[in-house]
Amino acid sequence: MDGSFGSASNWLLLCLVVTLGSVASQAEARAFFVFGDSLVDNGNNDYLATTARADSYPYGIDYPTHRPTGRFSNGLNIPDLISESIGMESTLPYLSPQLTGQRLLVGANFASAGIGILNDTGIQFLNIIRIYKQIEYFQQYQQRLSALIGAEQTQQLVNDALVLITLGGNDFVNNYYLVPFSARSRQFSLPDYVVYLISEYRKVLARIYELGARRVLVTGTGPLGLCPCRTSSA
């Protein structure tokens, strides 16, 4: 697990409260895009053949339906709360067959449990949507939206949209610290590994910016000591 169920999620929520208050007070309803790992995945992995899934009890026990939704949470997750704050319905997972037509105007959630900044993070989960694949889907989304409302309006919607990206925790839990003497821990000292992750994260953010994102919330990793981590699932 990448620390998505419990204290780490609460910590991230607290860190976003002030920012959300500011965003909500300034903005009318706008599209919302989500990139990242299980802290913000709202169901993409349910459409994949992977062990990194939240499709069984106790996930979803406090959701309105009291059933698992693919969110790594007992109820609403952070993207849901952000959507409420900016006056929009929750974004659908990009892989959801329901994400068509006018629902594209709401935005999309590209997040996938188990992934990290690095491509080798979460390899034990096999079939997950790594960050550059999420970005590829973002490009694909824009093409689909352009067919609906035209290229100019699509660019404006993306420029005005709110973007949340949450990455990094798995690069420690499910990579550097996954096993004693992991490949990355042999390659880097911890301080050097942090510098390397930041440099790679910068490339991710630059690419998202190139694709039109302008209002981007970038979260840090939560305190890893709070994560109820397992390596058997994400």
Side-chain angles (χ1 to χ4, degrees):
M1 187 172 184
D2 49 2
S4 55
F5 193 94
S7 300
S9 183
N10 292 336
W11 177 89
L12 182 59
L13 176 59
L14 289 172
C15 290
L16 287 172
V17 166
V18 174
T19 303
L20 286 179
S22 174
V23 169
S25 65
Q26 297 176 33
E28 298 177 354
R30 61 181 62 193
F32 181 35
F33 301 105
V34 181
F35 301 86
D37 56 28
S38 68
L39 288 170
V40 291
D41 183 359
N42 70 343
N44 278 307
N45 279 23
D46 278 2
Y47 298 95
L48 303 173
T50 177
T51 57
R53 296 166 68 106
D55 58 352
S56 60
Y57 182 86
Y59 294 115
I61 58 175
D62 296 320
Y63 196 75
T65 61
H66 306 295
R67 300 178 64 182
T69 63
R71 294 165 174 81
F72 283 71
S73 171
N74 57 303
L76 298 177
N77 65 7
I78 290 162
D80 294 319
L81 301 178
I82 293 176
S83 293
E84 289 181 359
S85 295
I86 61 176
M88 297 290 278
E89 62 184 89
S90 292
T91 54
L92 289 172
Y94 186 68
L95 298 184
S96 170
Q98 298 177 26
L99 187 64
T100 59
Q102 295 297 309
R103 289 190 169 184
L104 290 167
L105 300 174
V106 177
N109 186 312
F110 305 97
S112 177
I115 72 135
I117 298 166
L118 306 180
N119 278 334
D120 57 309
T121 292
I123 57 173
Q124 70 272 34
F125 303 125
L126 301 177
N127 191 23
I128 50 182
I129 312 171
R130 305 194 183 283
I131 187 59
Y132 282 101
K133 184 65 176 180
Q134 293 183 27
I135 293 172
E136 183 181 320
Y137 281 153
F138 186 37
Q139 291 180 273
Q140 187 183 95
Y141 162 88
Q142 293 188 43
Q143 294 167 358
R144 293 171 61 190
L145 189 60
S146 291
L148 182 67
I149 63 174
E152 185 175 339
Q153 283 187 273
T154 295
Q155 181 179 359
Q156 190 64 52
L157 181 146
V158 171
N159 290 162
D160 290 342
L162 183 65
V163 177
L164 172 67
I165 181 165
T166 296
L167 287 173
N170 283 331
D171 294 289
F172 294 96
V173 174
N174 283 315
N175 192 328
Y176 196 85
Y177 292 123
L178 179 60
V179 294
F181 309 110
S182 66
R184 288 298 187 181
S185 66
R186 294 195 305 270
Q187 181 182 9
F188 294 102
S189 68
L190 184 57
D192 289 343
Y193 185 61
V194 171
V195 171
Y196 176 60
L197 287 179
I198 291 171
S199 69
E200 293 301 303
Y201 207 166
R202 184 179 293 114
K203 296 174 186 176
V204 170
L205 295 174
R207 183 64 184 133
I208 291 174
Y209 181 86
E210 289 173 1
L211 292 174
R214 294 295 180 268
R215 295 172 171 84
V216 184
L217 295 173
V218 180
T219 67
T221 58
L224 298 183
L226 297 179
C227 300
C229 301
R230 302 191 305 272
T231 57
S232 59
S233 61

